[in-house]
DNA sequence: CCTACCGATCGGTAGG
DNA sequence: CCTACCGATCGGTAGG
């Protein structure tokens, strides 16, 4: 008797990670019990503790999986980044893509920042700071070249755009004050307009990006 | 015997609200037990349940107190709002003041959005939407007059600036990537630069505001 | 991967 | 405002 597997092609560990990711994002760590997760996965509670030695370990595994996805996406983001305006859309578009393609990622990051700020400060330093710094470097270069706002604070700008982006994606789907596309479009416009001195290049769809074959722009 | 009051000039209800506000912001609702709160207030757990009939009621009271503070601050914010550039700094400055003066307010709002999105959608509609809409109206007027970016989406802009502001204040003190003043300054600059067509009026300290006696600007 | 069970803690009540 | 106590649920273990 194969008991009560719901997706027989997926093993318990995989299903548990998927279910736990959703529940941790939705209810938070303290609001989610192992029993809740076990019920939804379709196994007994102690079975979870065979795959993950503790609730804390499950949390860590969920987060590690998300970090893994981030590290898969990073090369693509880095490839999009070099300098100039076209690259701006590329990088921002890839970051938006990463968090929009599974908004639980944004929610999870936000919750972790609230619940375990010290640990998250370490993770950010390790996994995001390096390339945020390099983006800040490009911004300073662009400022020296004169096409970016000279009074922008490069470090604060990249840090703020990241917070802005993650928070907006996490909050947007919960409160849904306006359509998703509209929300993203204005976010991109704001990030752009507060960085570039020149107005945006007409209505050349500034959003998701990565399809653009065009090169620099002047 | 007056038992073990820590601030004898403050009654238990007041102290409980103060302690609970801090703990709910720091650990969240599910991460905070009534026993934790009682211990810190210096009373027995059932005493809390005399003042607040349930944990849920305590949460509601904490949130209601914050909403009360908001409704006290609102007139000042509305007074600062009329239209144009000087008013922009006034309104934004007052909002920043409200959340910066007690960052628990920002954290609490963020947690409530994550934990009880439906209820928070109602609260926002009731307590923030009306005047966010009126700010959006001023923005559209400014766009018609030509000194604001014509491609800005007024509704999305005000909603995003609010999210941006609350998230940044809540996250900033937890991760502290950079000094508070620097963080706020860049936030204001970004909000400004993404709305106004003209560059900011030199280095005329654009931030906290409300001391400004200057009137419109041209 | 299961059943059976553990001590600890949860929010809340009785009763004064 | 307290002591004493409640049933329910928590994360986790024993043992197979």
């Amino acid at each position: 008797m194969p008991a009560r597997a719901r997706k027989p092609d997926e093993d318990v560990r995989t299903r548990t990670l998927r279910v736990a990711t959703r529940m941790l994002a939705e209810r938070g760590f303290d609001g989610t019990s192992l029993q809740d997760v076990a019920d939804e996965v379709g196994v007994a509670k102690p079975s979870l503790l065979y795959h993950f030695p503790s609730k804390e370990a499950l949390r860590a595994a969920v987060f590690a999986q998300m970090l893994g996805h981030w590290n898969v996406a990073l090369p693509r983001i880095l490839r999009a980044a070099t300098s100039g305006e076209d690259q701006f859309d590329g990088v921002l578009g890839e970051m938006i893509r990463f968090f929009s393609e599974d908004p639980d990622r944004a929610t999870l990051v936000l919750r972790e920042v609230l619940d375990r700020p010290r640990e998250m400060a370490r993770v950010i330093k390790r996994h995001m700071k390096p390339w945020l710094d390099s983006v800040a470097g490009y911004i300073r270069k662009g400022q020296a070249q004169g096409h970016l706002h000279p009074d922008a604070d490069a470090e604060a700008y990249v840090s703020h755009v990241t917070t802005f982006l993650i928070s907006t994606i996490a909050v947007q789907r919960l409160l849904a004050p306006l359509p998703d596309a509209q929300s993203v479009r204005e976010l991109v416009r704001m990030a752009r307009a507060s960085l570039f001195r020149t107005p945006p290049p007409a209505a050349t769809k500034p959003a998701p990006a990565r399809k653009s074959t065009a090169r620099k722009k002047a």
Side-chain angles (χ1 to χ4, degrees), chain A residues 15-178:
Chain A
R15 261 182 300 151
T16 300
L17 281 174
R18 187 168 41 77
V19 167
T21 298
R22 184 168 40 79
M23 295 187 78
L24 290 181
E26 192 171 317
R27 318 184 191 176
F29 184 78
D30 292 316
T32 304
S33 72
L34 290 176
Q35 192 64 65
D36 292 339
V37 177
D39 288 348
E40 188 129 339
V41 171
V43 296
K45 191 179 61 174
S47 303
L48 293 190
L49 293 161
Y50 165 77
H51 294 282
F52 306 94
S54 69
K55 189 187 181 187
E56 185 55 43
L58 176 57
R59 185 223 296 255
V62 164
F63 196 78
Q65 184 185 243
M66 202 209 51
L67 268 188
H69 290 145
W70 171 257
N71 286 329
V72 166
L74 238 195
R76 186 191 296 170
I77 301 180
L78 291 175
R79 213 177 310 130
T82 312
S83 85
E85 186 148 359
D86 195 36
Q87 285 73 11
F88 177 87
D89 286 345
V91 172
L92 187 57
E94 289 298 339
M95 288 198 63
I96 290 174
R97 176 196 307 276
F98 177 77
F99 288 105
S100 290
E101 120 188 343
D102 180 1
D104 283 342
R105 291 170 182 168
T107 311
L108 221 53
V109 168
L110 210 50
R111 282 200 184 275
E112 290 283 307
V113 168
L114 294 176
D115 289 345
R116 307 161 69 240
R118 285 159 188 260
E119 291 81 350
M120 276 306 281
R122 274 188 35 244
V123 170
I124 290 168
K125 201 164 215 161
R126 173 99 165 67
H127 293 267
M128 300 200 67
K129 186 104 186 331
W131 83 268
L132 287 179
D133 284 349
S134 97
V135 171
Y138 285 121
I139 289 179
R140 270 192 300 273
K141 205 180 299 177
Q143 288 176 310
Q145 290 170 4
H147 56 279
L148 300 188
H149 277 145
D151 52 342
D153 178 328
E155 273 76 26
Y157 175 85
V158 295
S159 155
H160 281 180
V161 167
T162 306
T163 301
F164 185 19
L165 187 159
I166 292 174
S167 305
T168 299
I169 291 175
V171 167
Q172 164 69 26
R173 67 160 171 175
L174 296 175
L175 302 181
L178 26 87

